[in-house]
Amino acid sequence: MRQLKRITRHLVVIVLAVVLWQFVVQLNFISSHYLASPLQIVSSLVSGFKSGLLLSDMAITLERVAIGWLIGSLAGYIIGILVGVIPIFDELFTPLLELLRPVSPVALIPVAILFLGIGNSSKFAIIGFGCFWPVLLNTIAGVKSIGQTERKLASVLRLRSFERFIRVELPGSLPSVFVGLRLAAGIAFVVVVAAEFVGSTNGLGYQILSAEQSFNIPLVYGAIALLAILGFMANFLFVMMEKFIIRWKV
């Protein structure tokens, strides 16, 4: 019942915000030339899905997000484990990683296009670069947060390096790693839009830019709303996966 009440409160706030938004536009407090009403947005989404255009663009964007996220997360996890577990890797690579970390993925779009072209490869690389950092940093933090008691117990049991990793470091770092994976998914949806703005002929980012240039304001907001919904669903999926996989987490 407590969970149901919490969900109900959230839904009430969202519904009230949408109703207020509708009245603000309908009463012309803000011109529909700048802000589309919720009803206009829903109508544009229905038309887009009926024509098949939005469905195709959504599938393409999701593919780019998924592959870029997978590449960046895998690289971030592997390097994070190496840096967190092996002191020599920490000493050698931490300065380089700290130097590269402030670089914006969006700033690297021209470089990625220069090396990989305007196809999907450059978009995978840009999204992967953005997803790499939260997974890397959270993996390192998760490994280093494992207490000395657990490490001493592993030494007493004379666990080999691989056994220590499987039984101590992997489960101990998982809660932090999942935080990184969730953050990376959110970043992926942000970066993919910027990547699709440049040299792209499909995807939701391209659809936003194309609709803005043709003054189709409802479709602009509709594509943005669709991205928000997809990002929300991705976050919800990770929360459910975390609860299922890390059942021992308090």
Side-chain angles (χ1 to χ4, degrees), residues 20 25 27 29 45 68 78 137 151 154 175 217 219:
L20 178 62
V25 178
L27 297 176
F29 288 115
L45 287 175
I78 292 172
L137 296 175
R151 296 185 187 277
I217 305 304
L219 185 56

Side-chain angles (χ1 to χ4, degrees), residues 166-246:
I166 294 297
R167 297 187 180 184
V168 178
E169 287 154 355
L170 176 61
S173 64
L174 274 181
S176 184
V177 171
F178 263 96
V179 172
L181 293 174
R182 288 173 59 192
L183 289 173
I187 290 173
F189 278 100
V190 173
V191 176
V192 72
V193 175
E196 289 177 345
F197 276 172
V198 182
S200 183
T201 57
N202 48 35
L204 291 177
Y206 167 78
Q207 195 62 247
I208 292 171
L209 187 62
S210 176
E212 185 271 336
Q213 291 173 345
S214 61
F215 297 100
N216 189 348
I217 305 304
L219 185 56
V220 171
Y221 286 99
I224 293 172
L226 198 54
L227 281 166
I229 293 169
L230 292 174
F232 175 81
M233 291 173 63
N235 182 73
F236 179 77
L237 178 62
F238 277 111
V239 170
M240 293 296 102
M241 287 174 59
E242 184 177 2
K243 288 182 179 180
F244 178 76
I245 295 173
I246 316 177

Side-chain angles (χ1 to χ4, degrees), residues 83-101:
V83 171
V85 173
I86 305 174
I88 188 64
F89 276 91
D90 189 6
E91 183 179 345
L92 289 176
F93 290 103
T94 295
L96 177 62
L97 293 172
E98 289 299 323
L99 180 66
L100 294 175
R101 185 165 61 91

Side-chain angles (χ1 to χ4, degrees), residues 129-188:
F129 182 83
C131 295
F132 172 80
W133 298 104
V135 178
L136 170 77
L137 296 175
N138 279 276
T139 300
I140 294 173
V143 172
K144 291 187 175 181
S145 68
I146 297 172
Q148 290 298 320
T149 304
E150 289 85 351
R151 296 185 187 277
K152 287 180 181 178
L153 181 60
S155 299
V156 169
L157 295 175
R158 296 182 179 181
L159 297 179
R160 297 177 181 178
S161 298
F162 181 73
E163 291 177 321
R164 187 175 66 224
F165 171 72
I166 294 297
R167 297 187 180 184
V168 178
E169 287 154 355
L170 176 61
S173 64
L174 274 181
S176 184
V177 171
F178 263 96
V179 172
L181 293 174
R182 288 173 59 192
L183 289 173
I187 290 173

Side-chain angles (χ1 to χ4, degrees), residues 1-129:
M1 288 298 296
R2 186 181 302 172
Q3 183 76 2
L4 181 61
K5 288 180 180 179
R6 187 170 67 88
I7 294 173
T8 303
R9 286 197 298 268
H10 292 171
L11 289 175
V12 169
V13 171
I14 293 172
V15 170
L16 288 176
V18 171
V19 170
L20 178 62
W21 180 358
Q22 178 67 34
F23 276 111
V24 164
V25 178
Q26 193 167 328
L27 297 176
N28 210 31
F29 288 115
I30 299 178
S31 173
S32 58
H33 294 296
Y34 304 104
L35 179 66
S37 70
L39 291 178
Q40 290 173 323
I41 292 171
V42 171
S43 177
S44 70
L45 287 175
V46 170
S47 299
F49 278 115
K50 281 185 177 179
S51 67
L53 183 63
L54 272 183
L55 187 61
S56 173
D57 283 326
M58 184 179 70
I60 290 168
T61 295
L62 281 175
E63 178 187 5
R64 289 167 177 161
V65 166
I67 295 176
W69 173 86
L70 184 61
I71 293 171
S73 298
L74 188 59
Y77 181 72
I78 292 172
I79 296 176
I81 288 293
L82 292 175
V83 171
V85 173
I86 305 174
I88 188 64
F89 276 91
D90 189 6
E91 183 179 345
L92 289 176
F93 290 103
T94 295
L96 177 62
L97 293 172
E98 289 299 323
L99 180 66
L100 294 175
R101 185 165 61 91
V103 177
S104 168
V106 178
L108 292 177
I109 290 177
V111 179
I113 292 175
L114 182 65
F115 279 90
L116 300 172
I118 62 174
N120 280 333
S121 297
S122 59
K123 294 172 178 58
F124 295 154
I126 293 298
I127 297 168
F129 182 83

